[in-house]
Amino acid sequence: MLKYSKVFGLVAFVFLFAMCNQKSKNESEETILKGSLDVTVDETVKPIVDDQVAVFEGTYYDAKINVKPKSEVELINDLLNKKAKVVVTARNLTQEELKRFEKSKINPRVTPFAIDAIALISNKSNNDTLIALKSVLDFMQGKKETGIKGLVFDNPNSSTVRYMKDLAKVKDIPATGVFSFKTNDEVIKFVSENEGMIGVVGVNWLSQPSANMADFIEKVNILGVKGLNSNQYYYPSQNDLAEEKYPLARDLFIINCQGYTGLGMGFSSFMAGEIGQRIILKSSLMPVKVPGRKLNIRTQILKDKE
């Protein structure tokens, strides 16, 4: 019996050694600028991540980033259940979520990289291009609002729904008057074809539309929004985001739980670095760090040579 026990122990040792060796080998093949990485992305901010990936892969030819768009609920669940190691979110981790990682001896690296905006849109035929945030929140609380026939979200599990529910202080959205689809494009298309509907979308889907969405976007208005403690209306523009005036602004984060120096670290550093922040600056979002500009100042004007 003791003989078989020793043999079993030896086999188990060899198996564990081989698995650890294989893991070390896989990790050694990946560096901060080389390898393949799956990044699960909040689908409401997918366009800006696609831009980052295109430039990153164009700069570092040995790196491959696979973007996997999901709703916020699915994304966080995958991260907590170790099905995803690197994610892009529209919120930071909660204290409860951090404690779960602590129990697993995982230290998530959370990097803010942009300030995003949730845009409210209406059909072009609507004459009123302004809306009070209080009216939207009242509607979500089940109160009647004459200027709103319905609210349209992308996904019942999305970050925009969670964000608006938190503002309205409700656990569930009303059974009537609130609609949800699967994507931001579907919301934009529906609002462009239906008067009186207010769409709730990530602003990046409006500023960087796909070719097949350009005609639909021309048929919607981006509404100016009056905050709960404001008398002015502001738009999801870079200027209003920079001055912290737009009431539906939110921070974006990339969270890396790889646990080793891999491509996740390289991609996070890229997005938060000079090039990544310039990509964000050229979009409709606001970078966390505004890239510097170099100016050549001349003390005199040179005359044209005759």
Side-chain angles (χ1 to χ4, degrees):
M1 186 70 180
L2 182 60
K3 177 181 179 182
Y4 288 112
S5 181
K6 290 182 178 180
V7 171
F8 177 78
L10 180 61
V11 171
F13 174 78
V14 172
F15 176 77
L16 290 173
F17 179 80
M19 291 296 291
C20 292
N21 187 54
Q22 182 65 31
K23 182 178 179 181
S24 299
K25 180 180 179 181
N26 291 337
E27 291 180 4
S28 65
E29 291 176 352
E30 180 185 333
T31 70
I32 60 172
L33 300 176
K34 183 181 73 173
S36 179
L37 175 68
D38 291 339
V39 177
T40 306
V41 177
D42 184 321
E43 53 199 3
T44 65
V45 297
K46 183 177 179 292
I48 189 60
V49 179
D50 286 339
D51 290 345
Q52 296 279 349
V53 169
V55 178
F56 185 79
E57 291 182 342
T59 306
Y60 306 104
Y61 301 116
D62 293 329
K64 175 62 179 176
I65 306 292
N66 305 304
V67 175
K68 295 186 173 183
K70 289 191 176 184
S71 70
E72 182 178 83
V73 171
E74 294 173 310
L75 179 150
I76 294 298
N77 284 338
D78 283 356
L79 188 64
L80 293 174
N81 295 322
K82 302 179 183 179
K83 294 181 180 179
K85 293 183 178 181
V86 180
V87 301
V88 174
T89 72
R91 70 167 177 83
N92 203 342
L93 295 171
T94 65
Q95 288 299 317
E96 184 179 346
E97 290 162 353
L98 287 171
K99 287 179 181 178
R100 286 188 58 177
F101 283 114
E102 187 178 346
K103 289 181 180 179
S104 301
K105 297 183 179 180
I106 296 174
N107 182 26
R109 299 189 177 210
V110 181
T111 305
F113 68 91
I115 301 171
D116 182 33
I118 294 175
L120 302 180
I121 60 174
S122 68
N123 188 280
K124 205 80 170 182
S125 63
N126 292 5
N127 295 325
D128 194 357
T129 59
L130 303 175
I131 192 169
L133 178 58
K134 185 178 185 305
S135 297
V136 178
L137 301 184
D138 284 347
F139 192 87
M140 290 193 66
Q141 292 170 355
K143 302 174 185 177
K144 291 184 178 181
E145 289 292 329
T146 55
I148 304 175
K149 287 185 180 179
L151 286 177
V152 190
F153 290 93
D154 56 329
N155 187 306
N157 293 319
S158 74
S159 58
T160 52
V161 171
R162 185 264 312 159
Y163 184 95
M164 297 302 290
K165 283 168 59 178
D166 288 348
L167 284 181
K169 297 180 181 179
V170 296
K171 292 184 178 180
D172 299 303
I173 57 178
T176 58
V178 179
F179 309 90
S180 61
F181 292 93
K182 291 183 179 180
T183 67
N184 283 260
D185 280 348
E186 288 179 307
V187 175
I188 297 168
K189 183 178 179 181
F190 183 82
V191 172
S192 73
E193 298 172 342
N194 294 272
E195 297 181 18
M197 295 293 178
I198 303 298
V200 186
V201 297
V203 71
N204 206 215
W205 289 89
L206 300 166
S207 61
Q208 294 180 288
S210 56
N212 61 330
M213 287 301 297
D215 291 340
F216 296 110
I217 288 177
E218 289 181 0
K219 298 177 182 178
V220 302
N221 288 320
I222 299 177
L223 303 179
V225 183
K226 182 174 72 172
L228 297 177
N229 300 310
S230 174
N231 293 320
Q232 300 293 322
Y233 292 86
Y234 298 100
Y235 291 86
S237 64
Q238 282 186 327
N239 183 69
D240 286 351
L241 287 174
E243 295 181 357
E244 299 182 355
K245 293 179 177 179
Y246 186 67
L248 297 176
R250 58 184 185 173
D251 295 329
L252 301 184
F253 305 87
I254 181 166
I255 303 174
N256 177 15
C257 294
Q258 278 191 299
Y260 57 89
T261 306
L263 196 54
M265 184 181 295
F267 188 55
S268 299
S269 299
F270 176 85
M271 293 178 70
E274 178 80 11
I275 298 176
Q277 294 295 283
R278 287 191 181 280
I279 295 171
I280 293 166
L281 188 62
K282 290 181 179 179
S283 72
S284 60
L285 308 187
M286 188 67 196
V288 171
K289 298 177 182 177
V290 179
R293 298 178 63 185
K294 294 182 179 180
L295 301 177
N296 293 322
I297 301 175
R298 295 185 298 182
T299 57
Q300 62 182 13
I301 299 176
L302 299 177
K303 295 182 178 180
D304 296 332
K305 293 182 179 180
E306 298 182 355

